[in-house]
Amino acid sequence: MVKHIVSWKFKPEVSEEERARVAAEFGERLQAVKEVAKGVLDVKVIAPPLSTSTVDVVLDSTFESEEALAAYQVHPDHVAAGAACVKPYMTDRTCCDFTL
């Protein structure tokens, strides 16, 4: 199994209302991808994290294999979720992938 953990900060100009809406939409879109992309075991979008965090949004996902992760990353629905929910609103992406 492979873990894929990604985090972002919201751009400063994004309002609190937009942050909540965008995070919820992002989570819904990625849950939908989980249902159609092979090898996706779990997807969680965490927002907002605890106040001790240095990021605003975290994606915590699990895949059957590195190949499943690679396929998910180019899946059209995943790409569309990023275009709609990440690029216009978020910055400072960090990523950590590892095997379990």
Side-chain angles (χ1 to χ4, degrees):
M1 287 194 300
V2 172
K3 287 295 280 184
H4 175 63
I5 301 174
V6 185
S7 64
W8 300 266
K9 290 184 179 183
F10 278 110
K11 294 177 180 177
E13 63 270 18
V14 179
S15 71
E16 290 300 318
E17 294 80 18
E18 282 181 304
R19 290 173 185 225
R21 180 189 61 76
V22 168
E25 180 182 342
F26 192 40
E28 290 168 9
R29 284 175 169 259
L30 293 184
Q31 282 299 320
V33 175
K34 176 186 172 212
E35 301 305 317
V36 296
K38 293 182 181 181
V40 182
L41 301 176
D42 190 35
V43 172
K44 292 182 193 109
V45 173
I46 301 148
L50 293 177
S51 62
T52 53
S53 301
T54 59
V55 297
D56 299 314
V57 179
V58 175
L59 166 63
D60 180 359
S61 50
T62 308
F63 298 84
E64 289 179 354
S65 63
E66 288 184 57
E67 294 78 19
L69 171 58
Y72 161 84
Q73 290 176 319
V74 296
H75 191 283
D77 295 344
H78 174 262
V79 173
C85 299
V86 174
K87 292 181 193 285
Y89 302 100
M90 299 182 206
T91 186
D92 297 332
R93 179 186 185 272
T94 60
C95 176
C96 181
D97 298 328
F98 56 94
T99 57
L100 295 174

